[in-house]
Amino acid sequence: MPVEFLGIGATNNGSETDPRTGPAFDKEYTLALARAHEETGWDRVLTAYGSGSPDPAQAAALIATHTERLQLLLAHRPNVSYPTFAAKTVATLDQISDGRLTLHVITGGNDHEQQREGDTLPKDRRYDRTREAIQIFKKAWTSREPFDFHGEHYDFSDFVLDVEPAQKPRPRISFGGSSAAAYKVGAEEADIYALWGEPLAGTAEQIATITELARAAGRPAPTFQVAFRPILGRTEEEAWEKAYATVARIQDRTKGGTSQLTRRHKLTDPENAGSQRLLEVAAQGERFDRALWTVTAKATGGAGNSTALVGTPETVAAALLDYYDLGVRILSARGYDLLEDAKEFGREVIPLVRAEVARRDAEQARTAVPA
């Protein structure tokens, strides 16, 4: 089975360890980072969403027009635009990119962050709104006749898109979340389900839950994606020295609770279930399985993709293959030096994982019993 790699399509060089050195939207850096991913074997990059961040759709358009193969994962919050408008944006971007676009729909796990853009809907109802938005996207991208929609959150009549997506029947929809409400919506509506990096046992549990909910809804399970922060070294000792130095830099940036990092995400008592799960795992221990390290997650309050895989390229590749064995088919990775770490991971880790997957596929084909 094929394996895909997702990186970050950041618009500046800032990370948890270092403040950015240029503008929030640095065109030259955005393109350099995207090209580095394309040139070192990554499949796609995420243009992420933040209330005050550069528009990810326009960043995706810039990347699309300056790359040839690299696919794009566009983050979108349903609260910031009406679904018919968002469907039009995605269809247009899919045409610009010649069919390289996937939409990642974010429900929103932090009330304060949502309220920064006027969204006061309680979290339990935000998932219902997300479901309606996804249903509208699918209908808008595939219907060539006008249609009506009368839901709790959206109500319109006689809409049809003039611009069709390049992909047929439509672009894929990615979704994430770790609550019961998230599992249900994602299992029933999403093509890709994005999880944060937990120990293998917790990841297997989530995959089983979502797969069963999809089966109950009469559809196949979504493709599973898991995200990590790789910290590589030429030796295990070098990798761990780098890991502890990385956390020290994160802690220095979050000291006092007044940095840009803590403004975006609280270091304690997060509202979203995914961050709560990461902090619960961190409370149980620092190291799990082959290479998973939770201290980076603890240092950031479980903020998003924050658990690390630490070791040599061979160790990290083997750890990623452990998740592949659980059924994960999209591996998301982002270092702390965004540009140089993307190059290193692309050169040193991706070929190892692809080679082992190809070896297994070839072995399975040789041993397959004819029907």
Side-chain angles (χ1 to χ4, degrees):
M1 295 289 290
V3 61
E4 300 179 22
F5 288 90
L6 168 68
I8 186 69
T11 60
N12 61 70
N13 65 348
S15 76
E16 293 90 336
T17 58
D18 297 283
R20 68 175 188 251
T21 58
F25 185 36
D26 184 331
K27 290 192 296 182
E28 288 72 23
Y29 185 85
T30 300
L31 292 178
L33 183 60
R35 287 166 176 156
H37 280 86
E38 183 168 62
E39 292 165 3
T40 56
W42 297 76
D43 295 283
R44 63 172 54 82
V45 292
L46 165 70
T47 53
Y49 193 94
S51 58
S53 301
D55 180 6
Q58 295 187 60
L62 176 70
I63 293 170
T65 55
H66 289 80
T67 56
E68 296 179 359
R69 177 192 59 80
L70 191 66
Q71 298 175 55
L72 299 153
L73 179 61
L74 171 65
H76 170 71
R77 287 182 186 164
N79 64 289
V80 298
S81 69
Y82 210 74
T84 52
F85 180 84
K88 182 168 26 180
T89 298
V90 171
T92 305
L93 276 171
D94 201 47
Q95 288 288 347
I96 290 172
S97 66
D98 295 321
R100 288 183 280 152
L101 196 72
T102 298
L103 184 67
H104 181 61
V105 182
I106 303 171
T107 299
N110 182 293
D111 287 345
H112 186 58
E113 168 67 4
Q114 296 297 119
Q115 290 164 8
R116 286 179 171 133
E117 294 187 283
D119 183 15
T120 59
L121 199 67
K123 185 183 177 185
D124 58 346
R125 295 185 61 205
R126 291 202 290 265
Y127 281 110
D128 295 331
R129 179 178 63 191
T130 295
R131 180 192 295 278
E132 289 189 11
I134 293 175
Q135 291 171 347
I136 292 166
F137 296 152
K138 292 176 179 177
K139 184 71 171 177
W141 294 333
T142 57
S143 177
R144 303 279 63 87
E145 298 295 331
F147 68 95
D148 303 339
F149 188 92
H150 304 295
E152 179 185 358
H153 300 278
Y154 303 109
D155 192 310
F156 59 85
S157 302
D158 198 40
F159 177 79
V160 64
L161 272 179
D162 191 32
V163 56
E164 298 181 27
Q167 297 177 75
K168 303 302 178 190
R170 58 174 176 79
R172 288 191 294 175
I173 292 174
S174 170
F175 174 90
S178 297
S179 66
Y183 293 152
K184 185 170 176 57
V185 172
E188 295 177 358
E189 300 291 346
D191 305 301
I192 297 169
Y193 204 108
L195 300 169
W196 289 336
E198 295 188 14
L200 291 165
T203 302
E205 174 189 311
Q206 291 188 91
I207 289 174
T209 297
I210 296 162
T211 299
E212 176 57 27
L213 286 168
R215 186 200 63 77
R219 67 191 302 260
T223 299
F224 289 101
Q225 170 188 307
V226 177
F228 303 98
R229 308 301 292 270
I231 301 176
L232 303 176
R234 290 169 296 181
T235 65
E236 296 295 323
E237 293 76 15
E238 181 181 295
W240 283 104
E241 287 178 6
K242 184 177 176 181
Y244 285 109
T246 296
V247 165
R249 290 163 66 188
I250 295 172
Q251 291 171 336
D252 186 60
R253 284 207 68 203
T254 57
K255 194 178 300 179
T258 58
S259 73
Q260 184 72 8
L261 293 179
T262 54
R263 182 178 184 275
R264 292 177 181 173
H265 188 95
K266 296 187 299 181
L267 297 183
T268 58
D269 301 320
E271 297 173 27
N272 61 306
S275 293
Q276 291 168 8
R277 286 179 65 102
L278 293 185
L279 291 183
E280 288 169 4
V281 171
Q284 295 167 19
E286 294 186 358
R287 299 190 188 186
F288 292 84
D289 305 320
R290 196 186 299 267
L292 188 71
W293 196 47
T294 65
V295 178
T296 45
K298 182 178 180 180
T300 59
N305 175 14
S306 56
T307 48
L309 292 178
V310 182
T312 63
E314 292 77 12
T315 296
V316 171
L320 291 170
L321 286 161
D322 290 338
Y323 288 89
Y324 178 87
D325 289 338
L326 295 181
V328 175
R329 292 297 177 264
I330 302 176
L331 300 169
S332 174
R334 170 166 53 101
Y336 292 95
D337 182 335
L338 301 180
L339 181 58
E340 294 306 316
D341 287 353
K343 293 177 183 177
E344 181 182 34
F345 188 89
R347 290 192 310 263
E348 304 294 336
V349 178
I350 289 178
L352 295 177
V353 177
R354 290 200 194 281
E356 176 58 18
V357 169
R359 186 198 67 77
R360 295 181 185 184
D361 287 348
E363 180 65 22
Q364 184 176 8
R366 283 195 299 270
T367 59
V369 178

